[in-house]
């Protein structure tokens, strides 16, 4: 599917684009709140500054996607493949990322306040300066992740794998 067809259908009121083939598309700054992209292929797509609030990206293939500064408030990305994705300074407040693959993803400065990351794979992810206040990281794989300067106030880290994780200084001295 090309960008023009997607945009035309979306503006006409269509929201179901499940299984759409959108790899390598450029949707910089697109306003696509509430879109259904379940099982869609968005590998290496550019979605910088896009608004995907309330979007359904369940089991979407999004490896290498660029979502820098994107808004994904209350989006559902359960089981999505976001390996090597750029989510720096993205807003993922209250997003559902249960079982999501975020290995080696850049989440530096991202807002994940109240997000559900239970069972997520954040192995080697960059979470420097991320806001994880109240996030649920139960059973998440945070091995070798960089959490320096991250805000983990009220975050649930029960059962999380933390081997070789770089933790915030304030937690280390608490």
């Amino acid at each position: 599917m090309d960008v023009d067809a997607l945009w035309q259908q979306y503006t006409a009121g269509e929201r179901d684009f499940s299984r759409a083939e959108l790899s390598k598309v450029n949707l910089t700054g697109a306003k696509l709140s509430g879109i259904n992209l379940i099982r869609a292929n968005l590998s290496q797509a550019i979605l910088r500054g896009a608004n995907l609030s309330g979007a359904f990206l369940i089991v979407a293939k999004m490896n290498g996607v660029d979502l820098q500064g994107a808004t994904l408030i209350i989006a559902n990305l359960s089981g999505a493949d976001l390996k090597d994705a750029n989510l720096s300074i993205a807003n993922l407040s209250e997003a559902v990322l249960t079982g999501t693959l975020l290995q080696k993803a850049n989440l530096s400065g991202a807002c994940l306040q109240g997000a559900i990351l239970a069972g997520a794979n954040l192995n080697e992810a960059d979470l420097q300066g991320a806001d994880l206040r109240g996030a649920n990281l139960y059973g998440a794989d945070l091995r070798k992740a960089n959490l320096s300067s991250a805000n983990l106030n009220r975050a649930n880290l029960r059962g999380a794998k933390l081997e070789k994780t770089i933790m915030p200084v304030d937690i280390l001295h608490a």
Side-chain angles (χ1 to χ4, degrees):
M1 171 174 269
D2 67 20
V3 175
D4 292 332
L6 172 78
W7 188 244
Q8 184 178 11
Q9 290 175 33
Y10 184 87
T11 55
E14 180 63 42
R15 295 296 179 265
D16 187 3
F17 296 92
S18 52
R19 300 186 186 273
E21 175 57 53
L22 296 163
S23 62
K24 299 182 181 178
V25 298
N26 188 340
L27 290 164
T28 300
K31 292 174 177 37
L32 299 167
S33 59
I35 194 166
N36 176 356
L37 290 164
I38 295 172
R39 296 191 183 277
N41 183 1
L42 291 152
S43 296
Q44 299 177 0
I46 302 168
L47 291 149
R48 285 181 172 235
N51 184 346
L52 294 160
S53 294
F56 296 93
L57 293 151
I58 301 164
V59 197
K61 186 175 181 184
M62 301 175 74
N63 52 306
V65 71
D66 187 351
L67 284 158
Q68 181 178 358
T71 302
L72 293 133
I73 298 169
I74 314 174
N76 190 335
L77 296 108
S78 296
D81 177 355
L82 286 149
K83 185 177 180 181
D84 297 313
N86 180 6
L87 291 145
S88 61
I89 62 173
N91 188 345
L92 292 133
S93 297
E94 299 182 39
V96 179
L97 297 135
T98 306
T100 300
L101 177 61
L102 289 154
Q103 186 176 12
K104 296 183 180 179
N106 179 359
L107 291 146
S108 59
C111 180
L112 292 147
Q113 191 172 346
I116 301 169
L117 293 138
N121 183 342
L122 292 145
N123 190 304
E124 297 183 69
D126 183 358
L127 291 144
Q128 291 182 74
D131 183 355
L132 290 152
R133 286 178 290 167
N136 183 354
L137 292 148
Y138 180 84
D141 183 351
L142 290 157
R143 290 175 296 164
K144 298 182 184 177
N146 186 348
L147 288 161
S148 61
S149 304
N151 186 339
L152 292 165
N153 190 25
R154 298 183 327 275
N156 179 1
L157 291 165
R158 284 195 181 113
K161 296 175 185 169
L162 299 168
E163 294 87 20
K164 298 185 181 178
T165 300
I166 300 169
M167 297 297 283
V169 175
D170 57 340
I171 286 185
L172 297 174
H173 297 292

